[in-house]
Amino acid sequence: MIASVHGTVRAVRLDAAVLEVGGVGLLVQATPATLAGLRVGQAATLFTSLVVREDALTLFGFAEDDEREVFEVLQTVSGVGPRLALAMLAVHTPDGLRRAVAGEDLAALKRVPGIGHKGAQRIVLELADRLGAPAPVGVPGGSAAAAAPADRRDQVVDALVGLGWNQKAAQDAVATVLDGSEEPVGEAEVAGVLRAALRTLGGGRG
């Protein structure tokens, strides 16, 4: 198994990046939040999980080892493959998923494209006590520590700019997502807002 890769970022796409390791370019599938932290020409380290299929070898990369571990646990659920597991981590942080499962929050799980009511119920049932407990909200340095609304907005705008959109297009997309949200801005997770902003932009570049 390839547990991690370290190399120079050669390209960043909407759903993957190319890292050059020892003269070989590795295509690594990743979430928007992970990809937003990569810069072409700079060195990067990603924690990885190699998914082997009869017709393909696919490498999935994550900024944090905790994300990789959760990604692999998610795939033990009936009907959850690597693509859906990656989508779950694009919408929720690892601790967000832990809270959703522990609290049987089906609505939160159904925010992930491809997960319906029955699928959410199955995830809660099969993952009970398997993901571990989430970090206490507000603990300094914890993955669940809350960021101020303005900080979250700036984080997502910077991530979109890093992915290739211009500043104004990024700001407009984030405003559309956050201003239309039924939840308080401070409760919105960066990864979820980023994914929604990407859908709003529709794949176009500024």
Side-chain angles (χ1 to χ4, degrees):
M1 175 179 172
I2 302 175
S4 66
V5 295
H6 177 80
T8 302
V9 179
R10 291 306 181 196
V12 179
R13 307 174 185 175
L14 283 178
D15 59 354
V18 176
L19 265 68
E20 185 177 317
V21 181
V24 177
L26 300 178
L27 181 67
V28 185
Q29 306 290 320
T31 65
T34 292
L35 294 169
L38 304 178
R39 296 292 181 270
V40 174
Q42 295 185 5
T45 297
L46 294 178
F47 297 93
T48 57
S49 178
L50 179 64
V51 176
V52 180
R53 295 286 185 268
E54 291 184 1
D55 58 347
L57 298 175
T58 308
L59 197 60
F60 294 85
F62 307 90
E64 303 291 339
D65 194 39
D66 187 34
E67 289 180 304
R68 180 189 62 78
E69 292 180 1
V70 170
F71 172 76
E72 293 179 348
V73 172
L74 291 174
Q75 292 176 73
T76 65
V77 177
S78 303
V80 176
R83 298 292 179 184
L84 185 54
L86 191 68
M88 292 171 71
L89 285 165
V91 174
H92 297 290
T93 63
D95 269 355
L97 287 171
R98 291 185 178 104
R99 288 193 294 272
V101 170
E104 299 185 9
D105 188 349
L106 302 185
L109 293 172
K110 290 190 317 187
R111 292 193 198 117
V112 179
I115 296 181
H117 187 75
K118 290 184 178 179
Q121 287 180 317
R122 185 168 58 249
I123 289 168
V124 167
L125 178 64
E126 296 188 25
L127 290 184
D129 301 323
R130 297 191 59 195
L131 286 177
V137 176
V139 171
S143 60
D151 291 340
R152 288 187 183 278
R153 187 179 294 259
D154 290 344
Q155 278 183 283
V156 180
V157 169
D158 288 346
L160 291 170
V161 171
L163 286 172
W165 280 276
N166 64 44
Q167 187 80 12
K168 186 177 186 307
Q171 290 174 334
D172 289 347
V174 173
T176 297
V177 171
L178 293 181
D179 294 345
S181 175
E182 297 179 357
E183 299 178 348
V185 173
E187 296 299 319
E189 294 176 347
V190 171
V193 176
L194 177 58
R195 183 180 177 85
L198 287 168
R199 289 198 299 266
T200 298
L201 287 164
R205 297 280 169 159

